[in-house]
Amino acid sequence: MQEPELIAALKAGHESAFRMLVEQHQDRVYTIALVIVRHPEEAEDIAQEVFIEVYQTVHQFREEAKLTTWLYRITTTKALAHHRKRKAQKRFAVLTSLFGLNNEVLHHPPDFHHPGVSLEQKEEMSTLFKAVDRLADSQKVAFVLHYIEEQSHREIAEVMQVSVSAVESLLHRAKQNLRKQLGPYYKERNNP
């Protein structure tokens, strides 16, 4: 089914069209969410929320961009909002423990393990994704969409609602920041 037909079927409320949309895009939606939030269970929840929102609001889709662009925009927005909320909760927990309101100590989040990464690459990928997690949100989204989801600069610009030159700038800054963060790690690995 071509995209215009799929959109028409979605807007008409055909369950089979929605099932097709989910089957075609669930892995990519999950991967984008996973890279941003770094917790598989949370990424699954976000992916479900994305498809629920699409189902509930598809009649509002104006078809000014591709359906995948709209889907990725919803995904990145939800994942970033979730990530920001969790960071705020962590900061609050740290402040709470500093002031002695409870004795819980905030632990570091679990290591990130993407399902497509082999055992020998897990340490390196974990280090990379921790560095990606420290990027500014806009750099993180551009980096994930370009290097993991293999989106073009134009597609990323549509998802992020910025210019192509802004995407290029974000990717350039993301690479510079990652080089700074990962330089010592790779230097140590290559010179034991």
Side-chain angles (χ1 to χ4, degrees), residues 44-148:
E44 287 174 14
D45 290 345
I46 291 166
Q48 287 178 357
E49 290 174 21
V50 166
F51 287 111
I52 289 169
E53 182 171 328
V54 167
Y55 183 78
Q56 292 174 339
T57 63
V58 71
H59 60 280
Q60 296 172 358
F61 179 56
R62 295 186 305 256
E63 300 179 49
E64 294 169 354
K66 293 189 328 188
L67 184 62
T68 52
T69 300
W70 184 57
L71 190 62
Y72 295 160
R73 187 178 303 144
I74 294 170
T75 304
T76 56
T77 301
K78 285 195 173 294
L80 286 170
H82 183 83
H83 183 66
R84 287 182 193 120
K85 181 179 176 185
R86 193 176 68 228
K87 282 171 88 172
Q89 289 171 339
K90 277 170 112 176
R91 282 193 297 271
F92 179 75
V94 168
L95 289 174
T96 302
S97 66
L98 285 175
F99 291 107
L101 293 178
N102 69 39
N103 290 327
E104 290 182 36
V105 177
L106 183 69
H107 297 288
H108 293 288
D111 284 340
F112 172 76
H113 297 291
H114 189 279
V117 177
S118 66
L119 284 174
E120 56 273 359
Q121 294 176 316
K122 283 196 186 262
E123 178 188 346
E124 191 169 307
M125 292 306 291
S126 178
T127 302
L128 171 63
F129 282 110
K130 284 177 183 175
V132 169
D133 190 46
R134 289 189 293 269
L135 292 174
D137 288 342
S138 56
Q139 291 176 26
K140 185 187 315 184
V141 170
F143 184 87
V144 168
L145 290 174
H146 186 68
Y147 291 104
I148 296 176

Side-chain angles (χ1 to χ4, degrees), residues 134-181:
R134 289 189 293 269
L135 292 174
D137 288 342
S138 56
Q139 291 176 26
K140 185 187 315 184
V141 170
F143 184 87
V144 168
L145 290 174
H146 186 68
Y147 291 104
I148 296 176
E149 290 302 315
E150 300 177 345
Q151 298 288 303
S152 71
H153 290 186
R154 182 171 307 289
E155 290 169 320
I156 296 167
E158 289 176 14
V159 169
M160 297 182 71
Q161 298 179 315
V162 297
S163 68
V164 172
S165 60
V167 169
E168 291 167 352
S169 177
L170 289 168
L171 289 170
H172 178 73
R173 287 196 313 266
K175 286 189 285 188
Q176 283 181 318
N177 289 332
L178 290 172
R179 275 190 204 108
K180 286 179 194 172
Q181 291 182 51

Side-chain angles (χ1 to χ4, degrees), residues 31-50:
T31 299
I32 291 169
L34 180 61
V35 171
I36 293 171
V37 299
R38 294 182 50 213
H39 295 273
E41 301 82 19
E42 293 174 9
E44 287 174 14
D45 290 345
I46 291 166
Q48 287 178 357
E49 290 174 21
V50 166

